[in-house]
Structure formats: structure tokens, C-alpha cells
Amino acid sequence: MAAGNWTRVSQFILMSFSSLPTEIQSLLFLTFLIIYLVTLTGNSLIILVTLADPMLHSPMYFFLRNLSFLEIGFNLVIVPKMLGTLLAQDTTISFLGCAIQMYFFFFFGVAECFLLATMAYDRYVAICSPLHYPVIMNERTRAKLAAASWFPGFPVASVQTTWLFSFPFCDNKVNHFFCDSPPVLRLVCADTALFEVYAIVGTILVVMIPCLLILCSYTRITAAILKIPSARGKRKAFSTCSSHLLVVSLFYVSSSLTYFRPKSNNSPESKKLLSLSYTVVTPMLNPIIYSLRNNEVKNALGRTFHKALAPRNHNL
């Protein structure tokens, strides 16, 4: 596109679900609001319970607490603006607001990839070296692993967001419900070939490196579980990994379908639906999965509610 065609953009318009009838948008608002409240409540409960209950002060729940904190941040970046768009039809977002939203979307997304890999390594140590687990995963080590999980998000988000928003824009209509890179990139009036190569390579590395670490961990875990003589021991060992495996599957399947599908099969509307799965639905399911499939968390929730209600019942 010729350089003379671009104008300075001060705000963007999120097309979101504007093509749908008003009644459908109202139904979507109610649905997403309920999901949003469940997400905040569920992840907040996980954080509070794993902090309050001494039985959950193990490395596994330390990383689960990090995941819940991450999911809350991920939701806060995207869902409130989406709800405002559906309710008040306020589809505008400032240039700076769009850049900030994209920055934190990348930051939390990259951090989640590496945090899931760290959680897989934690399960590997717990199952393959149970006697040395408390020594290997001491407080200092788990803090370093958590920091290493969060850190990659900073350079990836900084480079990608700064580079993309330094381009001139020909249009300001973003065909998405948040400022994701591909729909914003389509508005650029400049040669973006180098940026696209960087974005593809960066995305593959960010997804593949943690994914390979997870696969390596679970290969060793599977080999260790198969060596356990009793069926009960095998079930118990596998049960400690099942929740994490389910969360990993949900996250990687939905994000991979969104970003690695052929362009010919990747219409804007289908991408919106797939994006909803890992930006809205998965953060809600994570605390439910860990609560329903983990007896320690269920028991801790019961003890916490009992302690919270006990003084009130006593006063009555």
C-alpha cells in the first residue's frame, strides 16, 4: 500500500461481535459475565486456600497458585473490555490502550506456556525422585523456577508490541474482540515481512520449547509409573498428574488451533470462537479441574470454609 495512504491512528475500533443481532449480544454478555465471575472466584479461592492451609504448602500448590494468579491477570486484560463492548456498544479503544492490552496478552500467554512446563517438571521430580523431592524443590528452587517462568514474557511482549505499534496504520477497525497481533497487523500500511517472520519463529519457539519440556517430563513420568508394581500405586501416581495434563491439553490444543491453522481455513469468525476457548473458557476450567480432581484441594476448601463459618456459628 502506498505510503501516502496512511493516517495517524489515535484509537482503534474493536469489531468484536458487532455482526450479531442485539439479542445474541445480550445473551453473550450474560454468558461471559457469569464465566468471568466464576473465573475470578475460582482462581481467587485457589490462591487463598493454598496460602491459608498448611497442608497445601508444597511446591505443587505453589505453582498452582502462580497459575491461578496468571489466569486472573489474563482475564482482566481481555474480558472487562469485551463485556463493555457487548453491554454499552463502546467499541473504541485508544492507541495506547490497544498496545497495553496486546502487551499483557503476550506477557501472560508466554508466562503460561513456561509455567505449565515448570509444573510438569515438578511432577517429574515428585514421581521419579520422591525421596529427594523436598530437597530438590526447596523454597529457593521453586522461587527461581517461578521467576524463570514469568520472565520470558517481558522480552517477547516488549519486542513484539513495540515493533508492531511502530508501523503506520491505514485503518483502525480491528476484526476481533481484543487487540491480538494478526488482526492489528492487517491494518498496517508497510512492508511487514520481517516482522511476520519474527512473529512466526517467536510463536513456534515459545510454544514448542515448553511443549518439548512437558513431553520429556511425561515420558520419564510414564516410564516411572509403569515400573510401579501395584495397580493402586500406578493410579495414585497418575492421579497427581491428571489435572495438569488436562489443563495442558486444553491450553495447547485451543491456542495451536488458533495460531497454527492454515490461513485458508482460518476465517476471522472462527478465530474469534477459538480465541474465546483459551482466553475466556480455559481460565474458568482450570480451578474447577484442580478442585474436582484433587482430594487435597477439596478437603482444604472444606477446612477453610469450616474455619470461616465456625466463629459465626459459635456466635449464633
Side-chain angles (χ1 to χ4, degrees):
M1 206 172 279
N5 289 344
W6 70 272
T7 55
R8 183 170 179 80
V9 171
S10 60
Q11 65 179 17
F12 291 95
I13 298 172
L14 296 172
M15 301 304 288
S16 191
F17 305 99
S18 56
S19 61
L20 297 175
T22 305
E23 297 79 9
I24 301 297
Q25 291 190 50
S26 300
L27 181 61
L28 286 176
F29 169 79
L30 183 61
T31 302
F32 294 148
L33 178 62
I34 293 171
I35 292 174
Y36 180 58
L37 293 176
V38 171
T39 301
L40 293 184
T41 304
N43 284 289
S44 297
L45 279 174
I46 291 290
I47 292 171
L48 292 174
V49 168
T50 55
L51 281 171
D53 197 300
M55 299 294 290
L56 301 185
H57 286 181
S58 66
M60 174 182 173
Y61 297 107
F62 170 78
F63 294 122
L64 177 57
R65 187 160 60 247
N66 273 261
L67 180 64
S68 291
F69 183 80
L70 188 153
E71 297 290 24
I72 290 173
F74 203 73
N75 247 232
L76 289 173
V77 168
I78 295 170
V79 180
K81 179 59 184 175
M82 182 177 68
L83 291 174
T85 301
L86 288 168
L87 180 65
Q89 299 298 307
D90 179 16
T91 58
T92 61
I93 184 171
S94 69
F95 184 91
L96 179 60
C98 189
I100 291 172
Q101 188 181 55
M102 185 181 294
Y103 177 90
F104 282 105
F105 169 73
F106 281 127
F107 170 70
F108 286 119
V110 172
E112 182 156 359
C113 286
F114 283 93
L115 185 59
L116 290 173
T118 300
M119 294 173 78
Y121 173 72
D122 171 71
R123 292 299 82 210
Y124 157 71
V125 176
I127 291 172
C128 297
S129 302
L131 298 178
H132 299 97
Y133 178 63
V135 177
I136 296 173
M137 299 299 290
N138 56 57
E139 288 188 10
R140 186 175 181 181
T141 301
R142 71 182 80 160
K144 287 181 178 180
L145 287 171
S149 301
W150 286 89
F151 176 75
F154 287 108
V156 172
S158 298
V159 172
Q160 187 136 332
T161 305
T162 304
W163 193 352
L164 179 52
F165 281 86
S166 67
F167 285 121
F169 292 94
C170 298
D171 195 2
N172 69 341
K173 293 182 176 65
V174 181
N175 192 11
H176 210 355
F177 58 86
F178 72 100
C179 289
D180 195 5
S181 178
V184 173
L185 186 64
R186 293 190 191 100
L187 310 179
V188 171
C189 315
D191 182 7
T192 61
L194 186 59
F195 174 84
E196 289 182 57
V197 171
Y198 160 79
I200 292 170
V201 172
T203 302
I204 291 173
L205 289 176
V206 163
V207 172
M208 291 306 298
I209 291 175
C211 193
L212 288 173
L213 291 172
I214 291 169
L215 286 174
C216 288
S217 295
Y218 275 104
T219 300
R220 300 291 297 273
I221 288 170
T222 303
I225 291 176
L226 291 175
K227 291 178 182 178
I228 298 173
S230 69
R232 183 180 178 184
K234 288 178 181 178
R235 285 196 301 270
K236 185 177 180 182
F238 180 74
S239 68
T240 65
C241 306
S242 58
S243 297
H244 178 257
L245 270 174
L246 188 53
V247 168
V248 167
S249 301
L250 286 170
F251 178 78
Y252 274 101
V253 169
S254 57
S255 57
S256 296
L257 286 173
T258 303
Y259 291 103
F260 295 115
R261 292 174 73 201
K263 287 188 176 181
S264 59
N265 299 329
N266 200 12
S267 69
E269 298 306 316
S270 67
K271 185 172 181 181
K272 288 178 190 177
L273 291 174
L274 287 169
S275 297
L276 284 170
S277 64
Y278 71 89
T279 58
V280 179
V281 178
T282 301
M284 175 193 69
L285 293 178
N286 288 353
I288 295 173
I289 290 168
Y290 273 101
S291 298
L292 295 180
R293 298 181 63 87
N294 190 307
N295 288 327
E296 288 183 337
V297 174
K298 286 191 285 188
N299 293 335
L301 283 168
R303 288 193 297 269
T304 302
F305 282 120
H306 179 74
K307 288 179 181 177
L309 295 174
R312 188 177 300 176
N313 293 336
H314 180 73
N315 291 334
L316 292 175

